[in-house]
Amino acid sequence: MAKLPLTYYLQNDVIFIAKDLVGKVLVTKIDDNITSGIITETEAYNGIVDRASHAYGGKITNRNKIMYHKGGVAYVYICYGIHFLFNVVTNIEGIPHAVLIRGIYPYQGIDLMLKRRNLISFSKHLFNGPGKVTKALKIEKIHNGISLTGEKIWIEDVGKLINPQKILSGPRIGIEYAKEDALLPYRFWVDPKEINF
DNA sequence: CGTACGATCTGCT
DNA sequence: GCAGATCGTACGA
């Protein structure tokens, strides 16, 4: 197992990290149960100059303050009152960069993930969406601020699962309010046709 | 304190 | 394709 080291998260190019995380494996160990998925979709949130970011304009609130932490921790928050969304905080302390994990392909503990999502049968398209990812991996608000180099949530590099040339990019989702920044190609994903593990 | 709304999902049509 | 669910968070009074 090759857990990504702290130095990985301290890199300053959040766009590069967002693309690079596609194909890596997000793992959680909750109550001694390991579940994991291959990351298939991400979005970069580029700090204080990004209108779509919670930290736009240097805003600091109780909710988003963890984004200003040194990279390598989780930013988990609630959206639409129902869903937890999981982000990877990157860059050095004081720079609020983050990568939203929007989709995974089940890897380890598939049965448990299906159970957590109240599904009875498996399909590769059942884990495409940030709220579904956190539900399957049981990531919750208590994990906000948790270290990604610890023993509960981490990301592994298990080698080449996805050809970097097969990673697509385009505008982010659900951020129409972000004006011109809504068009930036900060979303990265793999074509489902390329998923054939 | 009150109000408006959101980095979404699901089920029904 | 669309509306409803459902509530924490931000922000103004």
Side-chain angles (χ1 to χ4, degrees):
Chain A
M1 147 173 109
K3 190 182 291 189
L4 295 182
L6 182 60
T7 49
Y8 180 87
Y9 299 102
L10 300 181
Q11 299 176 91
N12 62 25
D13 187 348
V14 69
I15 315 300
F16 167 82
I17 295 174
K19 183 173 183 181
D20 193 62
L21 284 176
V22 175
K24 296 204 167 23
V25 177
L26 174 60
V27 188
T28 64
K29 185 177 179 184
I30 312 287
D31 300 332
D32 249 13
N33 295 307
I34 287 197
T35 47
S36 72
I38 298 157
I39 296 169
T40 55
E41 186 176 347
T42 65
E43 282 179 1
Y45 284 85
N46 191 24
I48 64 173
V49 300
D50 183 350
R51 298 180 100 96
S53 171
H54 291 163
Y56 175 61
K59 189 171 68 171
I60 302 178
T61 65
N62 200 44
R63 175 176 67 156
N64 75 3
K65 63 187 177 190
I66 197 67
M67 296 179 82
Y68 292 83
H69 191 278
K70 186 169 68 171
V73 297
Y75 173 36
V76 182
Y77 74 96
I78 292 177
C79 187
Y80 296 102
I82 309 172
H83 307 288
F84 296 108
L85 269 65
F86 171 75
N87 298 253
V88 175
V89 174
T90 70
N91 215 312
I92 59 175
E93 181 178 358
I95 300 183
H97 284 180
V99 177
L100 171 66
I101 306 300
R102 292 189 54 88
I104 59 170
Y105 181 88
Y107 192 60
Q108 297 166 280
I110 294 176
D111 289 343
L112 181 54
M113 287 194 279
L114 288 173
K115 190 175 164 190
R116 285 171 179 162
R117 293 217 43 227
N118 300 316
L119 300 171
I120 52 173
S121 61
F122 174 78
S123 157
K124 71 163 72 168
H125 301 296
L126 292 176
F127 298 83
N128 55 338
K132 301 176 186 178
V133 170
T134 54
K135 191 167 182 189
L137 295 175
K138 209 173 195 317
I139 295 173
E140 298 173 325
K141 193 179 175 185
I142 54 168
H143 299 118
N144 186 43
I146 200 173
S147 169
L148 299 177
T149 51
E151 297 300 318
K152 282 195 161 56
I153 304 179
W154 67 92
I155 300 175
E156 293 179 16
D157 189 348
V158 298
K160 290 216 187 304
L161 289 170
I162 289 171
N163 180 348
Q165 296 185 341
K166 298 292 186 185
I167 297 174
L168 309 174
S169 64
R172 293 170 290 185
I173 303 288
I175 55 157
E176 289 72 18
Y177 61 87
K179 300 184 178 177
E180 65 270 23
D181 289 341
L183 301 175
L184 294 170
Y186 283 1
R187 173 173 168 248
F188 301 94
W189 72 96
V190 220
D191 187 328
K193 291 195 293 286
E194 300 293 337
I195 297 176
N196 220 347
F197 306 117

